[in-house]
Amino acid sequence: MSNLVAIVGRPNVGKSTLFNRLTKTRRAIVSDEAGTTRDRQYGKSEWNGREFSVVDTGGWVVNSDDIFEEEIRKQVLIATEEADLVLFLVDVTTGLTDLDEDVATILRRSKLPVILVANKADNNVQIYDSYEFYKLGLGEPVCISSATGSGTGDLLDMVLSKLPEGNADELEEGIPRFAVVGRPNVGKSSLVNAFIGEDRHIVTDIAGTTRDSIYTRYDKFGFDFYLVDTAGIRRKNKVTEDLEFYSVMRSIRAIENSDVCILMIDATRGIEAQDMNIFQLIQKNNKSLVVVVNKWDLVEEKSQKVIDTFQNAIRNRMAPFTDFPIIFASAMTKQRIFKVLETAKQVYLNRKVRIGTSKLNEVMLPLIEAYPPPSTKGKYIKIKYVSQLPNTQIPSFVFYANLPQYVKEPYKRFLENKIRENWELTGSPIHIFIRQK
């Protein structure tokens, strides 16, 4: 499981710009207006062969100065509890502020490694201006310009030096790991309790009861795997904190260290934006998926028409990846919970499928000949050979073509769909590569 780095700081110091720089994306919206970041951004960063996860804290509520400060305090508290390292951003162009000092006070009390990052240091004069941040008591500020990239290499070197080298993992290898994920109060711990047959994980009606990741070895009825539930006791003084941010950061932990994700959706509320956020985390990490519509016992009408409507709504929201099982269950009444285990086990086996090269070519080449890639710039693309790559985390297939650069995404999806039609790969993501023959 990769380490988690949280970027914190008051509004408009350049957190989203730094996030985009570290993850080499442009997903986070950048603006001069304070409070632009509403949704938490999550991404991967790689430096010198090591990978870590980055979270851009955001979502300030701009009503008054009091709420402003309170929201920043919440974000910093969550980051110090959930992350392995905090990047505390300050702005050399505006200098030290009361909000910076408040955040620094929280960070000093935590035992977490903190790197003080002085952003917007675009020239030598502004580097001298950074010395006033020594007052924060967090060591020497690292001067960078996240907009131009200046100093970010030194920052990344320091990040790697403070992150632990790998994680000591005492879990037995070769046993599948199933993560139970979903937004707060959807019934994750109830489902795990139903599997185990004991109230190992505390279940309450307060959303966000879950606190710590727990691994449970399940070895009953022919099933042998680890259940990864982000479960534990929520401290009472934390109930007012930002539950959405908690669920995302907890989900990152559970998803990264799993093989199959059991995504739970509340049947009484339908699929919501937070469900989609967690689904996107699963996709980004290339994990297999089983969707469980929980609390099905509370739905009054259970006709086939209602089931079909529910399934279509879920698949439409999660398109283009639609080849995953959907199970309607109830953790409270234990309705279909063993169906969930059976399906998760099958999805894990699908993830490990190996298809012979001769069989692949026998099936796929006639389909490609019947429906070849569309010609581009008057050039015809010919795919002559296909094989499955060995020793990959998920099924990965390489198609050898004369002009691989002209094969577009829609045709790759066509190839993926044909593979899924001919082999049982339900629930597992697939990688399609086009290479020069």
Side-chain angles (χ1 to χ4, degrees):
M1 182 168 62
S2 63
N3 294 295
L4 191 59
V5 176
I7 304 172
V8 304
R10 60 182 175 80
N12 216 24
V13 292
K15 296 188 296 296
S16 295
T17 308
L18 179 60
F19 172 87
N20 288 344
R21 176 72 58 181
L22 295 182
T23 58
K24 298 178 182 176
T25 64
R26 291 188 176 181
R27 284 207 306 276
I29 299 171
V30 178
S31 166
D32 290 334
E33 182 181 342
T36 299
T37 303
R38 299 280 177 183
D39 298 319
R40 281 87 199 174
Q41 296 290 336
Y42 160 78
K44 295 275 192 180
S45 181
E46 187 177 354
W47 185 252
N48 287 344
R50 286 180 63 188
E51 192 179 69
F52 57 90
S53 301
V54 185
V55 176
D56 170 21
T57 57
W60 315 133
V61 179
V62 188
N63 287 330
S64 70
D65 290 340
D66 290 338
I67 292 178
F68 221 43
E69 293 183 30
E70 182 63 19
E71 287 298 316
I72 294 168
R73 189 187 68 81
K74 287 180 187 178
Q75 298 286 342
V76 175
L77 280 172
I78 293 170
T80 55
E81 291 190 7
E82 302 304 321
D84 297 297
L85 172 69
V86 170
L87 300 182
F88 175 29
L89 245 66
V90 290
D91 184 347
V92 296
T93 61
T94 57
L96 189 62
T97 68
D98 292 342
L99 274 177
D100 292 329
E101 292 180 351
D102 291 343
V103 173
T105 301
I106 297 170
L107 293 175
R108 283 198 305 271
R109 288 173 184 161
S110 75
K111 295 180 181 180
L112 201 65
V114 178
I115 298 177
L116 179 62
V117 183
N119 193 25
K120 305 183 184 179
D122 297 323
N123 53 53
N124 290 334
V125 174
Q126 289 173 320
I127 290 175
Y128 290 123
D129 292 339
S130 71
Y131 294 151
E132 69 171 316
F133 294 108
Y134 275 101
K135 293 179 185 176
L136 296 175
L138 292 170
E140 182 180 354
V142 180
C143 293
I144 69 162
S145 171
S146 53
T148 65
S150 171
T152 51
D154 293 337
L155 173 62
L156 283 165
D157 287 338
M158 189 174 291
V159 167
L160 293 189
S161 70
K162 290 183 177 291
L163 288 176
E165 282 272 4
N167 285 328
D169 199 346
E170 298 177 359
L171 302 180
E172 197 173 320
E173 290 298 319
I175 296 178
R177 300 174 188 180
F178 299 164
V180 181
V181 296
R183 52 186 168 74
N185 212 21
V186 76
K188 299 185 292 294
S189 294
S190 296
L191 182 67
V192 174
N193 289 345
F195 287 155
I196 300 169
E198 59 188 66
D199 289 340
R200 161 133 185 204
H201 301 151
I202 299 217
V203 180
T204 72
D205 290 332
I206 301 172
T209 303
T210 292
R211 296 288 304 146
D212 302 305
S213 291
I214 290 178
Y215 292 85
T216 305
R217 179 74 175 269
Y218 187 101
D219 191 359
K220 293 180 183 176
F221 312 112
F223 298 105
D224 187 12
F225 56 87
Y226 285 108
L227 271 172
V228 188
D229 177 35
T230 51
I233 303 172
R234 184 181 181 78
R235 292 198 290 251
K236 287 183 180 177
N237 63 337
K238 303 295 184 186
V239 169
T240 57
E241 285 175 4
D242 194 327
L243 300 176
E244 182 186 337
F245 190 28
Y246 257 124
S247 66
V248 169
M249 292 194 79
R250 286 295 181 186
S251 295
I252 292 170
R253 295 286 196 186
I255 289 167
E256 285 184 344
N257 210 26
S258 68
D259 298 305
V260 178
C261 294
I262 299 172
L263 173 59
M264 299 188 68
I265 295 173
D266 191 331
T268 62
R269 297 175 62 176
I271 187 165
E272 297 183 343
Q274 184 64 359
D275 299 317
M276 291 304 302
N277 288 341
I278 295 171
F279 169 71
Q280 284 159 9
L281 288 177
I282 295 169
Q283 276 204 311
K284 285 174 190 172
N285 284 280
N286 291 319
K287 303 301 181 181
S288 299
L289 174 66
V290 176
V291 173
V292 175
V293 181
N294 191 32
K295 306 183 184 179
W296 191 240
D297 56 311
L298 302 180
V299 176
E300 292 181 5
E301 186 183 350
K302 299 181 177 69
S303 65
Q304 189 60 44
K305 184 178 180 181
V306 172
I307 292 173
D308 292 342
T309 302
F310 222 116
Q311 287 183 333
N312 291 337
I314 293 171
R315 295 192 196 282
N316 288 340
R317 288 290 297 276
M318 296 183 178
F321 180 45
T322 58
D323 186 20
F324 53 83
I326 301 174
I327 300 166
F328 295 84
S330 169
M332 293 302 294
T333 66
K334 300 191 178 181
Q335 179 187 17
R336 297 193 192 93
I337 62 166
F338 283 103
K339 178 72 172 174
V340 174
L341 292 185
E342 289 172 357
T343 306
K345 184 178 180 181
Q346 184 57 52
V347 165
Y348 173 75
L349 294 175
N350 294 347
R351 186 181 179 86
K352 303 294 182 184
V353 160
R354 288 286 308 160
I355 305 170
T357 303
S358 59
K359 191 66 179 174
L360 261 176
N361 284 274
E362 180 186 324
V363 173
M364 293 302 296
L365 291 184
L367 290 171
I368 293 168
E369 193 173 339
Y371 300 96
S375 60
T376 305
K377 299 178 181 178
K379 296 180 179 178
Y380 292 95
I381 304 160
K382 294 180 181 178
I383 296 175
K384 293 291 186 182
Y385 183 71
V386 55
S387 65
Q388 184 176 357
L389 294 174
N391 304 320
T392 54
Q393 283 192 336
I394 61 173
S396 302
F397 302 91
V398 57
F399 291 80
Y400 293 94
N402 59 337
L403 298 166
Q405 68 273 24
Y406 292 142
V407 179
K408 307 299 182 187
E409 278 303 316
Y411 195 76
K412 288 183 182 179
R413 282 201 293 271
F414 164 78
L415 295 174
E416 178 181 333
N417 291 338
K418 291 303 175 185
I419 290 173
R420 290 185 183 279
E421 285 175 17
N422 287 278
W423 289 278
E424 182 59 44
L425 293 165
T426 299
S428 175
I430 293 176
H431 278 160
I432 301 288
F433 301 100
I434 312 292
R435 292 182 182 165
Q436 187 75 39
K437 69 174 183 179

